[in-house]
Amino acid sequence: MRLKLFIGALLMLVLAACGEFVTPNATISGYVVDMKAGEPVQGVSVTIVQTGESATTDAQGYYSIDTKRGRYTLVFTKAGFATSKVTGLLTLDEKTLYSTILRPVFDPQATVEPPELNLDIPDWYEPGQEITVTVSGSVADPDTNGFQFLDVALGQQGGSSGYLNGYVRHQRFFDFDGSDKEVTIDTTGYNDFVTVHAVAYDVNGNRTEAIGYVYRSPDLTAAAPANPTDLTAQAVTFGDVAVFGPLSVPGLTGEAIVNAMKSGDMAALKQMGEAVREVSGKAGGIAPQDSSLDKAITWVDLSWSYDPNATAPEAFEIFRKNGENGAFYRIGRIAAEDAQNLDENGDPIPGSYSFRDATPGTLPGVLLTYRVEAVNGDKRAASGEYSVTPLPVFKVQAVAPGDNVTDVDLAPGYVISVENSSTINFFRAIVLDRVQVDGFNVEYMSPFFVVPGADGEFHPFNGFVGIPHGVIETANGYRLTGASLQPFHTYDWQPFAVTAHINDNGEMDAVSIGSDFLALWGPFGVEDGPVNTFVTGSGVVAAAAAEGR
């Protein structure tokens, strides 16, 4: 492989010297979002430093630049945002995909100059070998704007905004100060050309990614893998909150959230919250990246089967296309052992695999089509295709009892308004005791309701004969009747609301979560509407009215 690369490079130099060489054309394209799996950022200027060629992102955060093949530095800028930069981006193929994150500046007066990063890596690796890379760097204003963290990953960007890409083999460091940092990475699952990604943020949100490339000759004698089968996908949209990563906890799939709501199992919900706390502790207690509470994040959980009796693949590669007429491009590669699902005891489940796609471009309302390829040596075998469309944000508002309202009845109803319901909706109200000294304890949880809906409209009683027990129709939406609470007591209450799309096969292939139940037990959830605080009254007036006095 090294000999081939050397001969190819030498031939290019000779032809160029003779005036007979024309560098092939290439296109660099991708998405710019405001956080991992986040909303697109329109109007970003994307510039190739070496050539001055540039483009501007559209409403979906997409850009495309026609250039020549080479190795480039790209800079992403927009007023009010920190700067993102990538160095060492190699355009080996006709089309190169590169997506990135652009954050609002933390301090408008601070620098928007991105950090400088140096990446020292070997040029060769052997199968399954650990390689050691060294990262160093500097910031533009070290006295007031130091490094926030460094993340080093193999194969693709890792950990750029929380743990939504938790399947990526990566390591994060919060003690990076620019001096040499040695990082050891396992190359298991890679057999040819592999990228090393070092991503560093400064305190103001400026971001630099340095990309390096290492090589190995693929095993030409490897046995051909079998075709992956039973590919399915489930899209999850989480809106109306500021979130910085906890939603990538592996158990937090859309189906798991719906099942926890259905069961009303507080232990299951608290377990999810504990998982969030555990992740946040490892992350060093990162806070939400900004104060905006109208964000949305979207990801897609893929699952597939592979015959455990067939030749075991080294890895799986994930391909996606956006829209009806888009082209497939690779969004990730994962070692087979990293993709294998585990049972409740932590043991591998034979033949069962999954991958979470949280790459930019997983946008609500955009048709996404996937395929998975098993790779072994230089041979590969593809699955069938599966398409899914992430749902728009399910907007949920706690209407009554209102926030900071006093003298509330001891058996109040809980009124919720929603927008953008899909095929079916799942609703529950939860009331939390604010007086308990050992934390928020659940005082009351309403019955669970499954209510048919329609795309873009809310029909809470469609399909029911009469009104379901405990549900009262209101001008604002609907009301869940409550149970008796304690007098002169302070409570928080929050709706649990999820809408789901059921496809033609009867599968739940997309969900949109309208309330951040993780805020109840996790440190990251920041909600602007679903939670209201109220104080009950004596209940005497309501009791007298009920008795006709």
Side-chain angles (χ1 to χ4, degrees):
M1 180 67 173
R2 281 183 287 189
L3 181 61
K4 289 167 60 179
L5 289 170
F6 175 77
I7 292 174
L10 181 61
L11 181 60
M12 290 169 63
L13 289 173
V14 171
L15 291 175
C18 296
E20 299 176 2
F21 178 69
V22 177
T23 305
N25 293 329
T27 300
I28 304 174
S29 61
Y31 295 89
V32 181
V33 294
D34 62 0
M35 54 184 165
K36 181 63 70 175
E39 294 184 334
V41 184
Q42 185 176 7
V44 178
S45 176
V46 186
T47 303
I48 300 177
V49 171
Q50 288 83 353
T51 67
E53 296 162 314
S54 65
T56 302
T57 57
D58 63 15
Q60 290 191 343
Y62 181 78
Y63 75 94
S64 181
I65 303 176
D66 293 326
T67 185
K68 301 293 184 181
R69 297 193 189 181
R71 194 163 188 171
Y72 296 118
T73 296
L74 273 63
V75 177
F76 301 77
T77 59
K78 182 179 179 179
F81 285 78
T83 301
S84 282
K85 180 173 72 172
V86 59
T87 64
L89 181 65
L90 192 60
T91 56
L92 283 178
D93 301 318
E94 182 180 348
K95 294 183 179 180
T96 298
L97 183 76
Y98 180 77
S99 298
T100 192
I101 296 168
L102 209 64
R103 292 183 177 181
V105 292
F106 180 77
D107 179 0
Q109 306 303 316
T111 182
V112 291
E113 188 71 24
E116 295 294 328
L117 276 187
N118 305 305
L119 182 59
D120 184 16
I121 64 174
D123 61 358
W124 190 258
Y125 70 101
E126 298 299 332
Q129 175 189 16
E130 289 186 341
I131 60 172
T132 298
V133 304
T134 303
V135 186
S136 60
S138 61
V139 291
D141 189 356
D143 293 332
T144 61
N145 186 48
F147 282 104
Q148 186 180 46
F149 67 85
L150 168 72
D151 194 282
V152 181
L154 191 70
Q156 63 194 88
Q157 300 172 23
S160 301
S161 182
Y163 290 80
L164 276 168
N165 47 1
Y167 291 101
V168 181
R169 195 174 297 162
H170 69 104
Q171 298 178 48
R172 174 172 285 187
F173 305 92
F174 291 91
D175 60 349
F176 181 62
D177 60 5
S179 56
D180 287 355
K181 171 71 72 174
E182 288 192 351
V183 184
T184 301
I185 307 174
D186 178 14
T187 64
T188 299
Y190 291 88
N191 62 18
D192 191 6
F193 198 65
V194 60
T195 51
V196 176
H197 300 255
V199 179
Y201 282 89
D202 67 18
V203 173
N204 206 35
N206 300 299
R207 175 185 190 275
T208 295
E209 177 176 1
I211 302 178
Y213 301 82
V214 293
Y215 312 94
R216 157 195 168 193
S217 295
D219 183 2
L220 302 181
T221 64
N227 297 86
T229 59
D230 304 322
L231 176 64
T232 61
Q234 186 180 80
V236 177
T237 303
F238 203 120
D240 206 24
V241 296
V243 180
F244 194 84
L247 299 176
S248 64
V249 172
L252 295 182
T253 63
E255 191 167 2
I257 292 168
V258 170
N259 287 339
M261 289 177 60
K262 283 181 178 179
S263 66
D265 185 354
M266 287 296 98
L269 294 174
K270 287 184 178 181
Q271 185 176 11
M272 292 182 180
E274 291 298 330
V276 172
R277 264 202 291 269
E278 180 181 354
V279 168
S280 68
K282 293 179 180 178
I286 303 173
Q289 60 190 18
D290 57 44
S291 59
S292 178
L293 296 173
D294 57 357
K295 304 288 186 184
I297 61 174
T298 305
W299 71 86
V300 179
D301 287 314
L302 305 175
S303 62
W304 65 91
S305 301
Y306 185 86
D307 184 356
N309 297 315
T311 298
E314 290 180 310
F316 294 101
E317 290 188 347
I318 318 300
F319 293 81
R320 186 185 79 203
K321 70 175 180 179
N322 288 37
E324 295 283 354
N325 302 315
F328 276 105
Y329 54 88
R330 191 178 75 177
I331 59 170
R333 180 183 176 113
I334 183 169
E337 63 185 50
D338 292 345
Q340 192 157 28
N341 291 322
L342 306 177
D343 62 20
E344 58 185 11
N345 297 318
D347 298 321
I349 302 174
S352 178
Y353 297 87
S354 62
F355 180 86
R356 174 162 288 171
D357 175 22
T359 59
T362 53
L363 304 175
V366 175
L367 177 68
L368 305 174
T369 303
Y370 293 89
R371 78 165 185 264
V372 174
E373 295 186 4
V375 182
N376 198 38
D378 65 335
K379 302 174 181 66
R380 57 183 61 228
S383 71
E385 299 177 4
Y386 192 95
S387 296
V388 65
T389 301
L391 295 175
V393 172
F394 190 37
K395 297 182 179 179
V396 178
Q397 183 70 33
V399 177
D403 197 23
N404 297 319
V405 172
T406 60
D407 201 25
V408 172
D409 188 80
L410 298 185
Y414 302 95
V415 180
I416 308 166
S417 67
V418 302
E419 296 179 35
N420 299 332
S421 75
S422 187
T423 313
I424 195 165
N425 307 301
F426 305 93
F427 301 119
R428 188 184 286 277
I430 184 170
V431 181
L432 300 165
D433 185 350
R434 288 292 300 273
V435 178
Q436 299 293 331
V437 295
D438 58 346
F440 287 8
N441 289 342
V442 175
E443 176 82 7
Y444 168 72
M445 190 162 57
S446 77
F448 178 75
F449 296 99
V450 180
V451 184
D455 292 337
E457 298 181 23
F458 178 54
H459 301 292
F461 310 118
N462 181 28
F464 285 97
V465 177
I467 294 177
H469 174 70
V471 179
I472 299 173
E473 191 169 10
T474 72
N476 294 310
Y478 66 96
R479 173 181 169 189
L480 308 175
T481 56
S484 182
L485 303 176
Q486 301 177 55
F488 305 114
H489 214 76
T490 302
Y491 294 98
D492 274 1
W493 84 271
Q494 177 182 18
F496 282 6
V498 175
T499 190
H501 177 262
I502 308 299
N503 64 20
D504 294 339
N505 297 322
E507 301 164 332
M508 185 186 300
D509 64 0
V511 301
S512 185
I513 304 162
S515 50
D516 186 5
F517 69 86
L518 292 180
L520 305 178
W521 300 287
F524 287 145
V526 180
E527 58 291 302
D528 63 337
V531 175
N532 281 351
T533 300
F534 66 91
V535 179
T536 54
S538 65
V540 173
V541 175
E547 295 174 9
R549 299 201 305 268

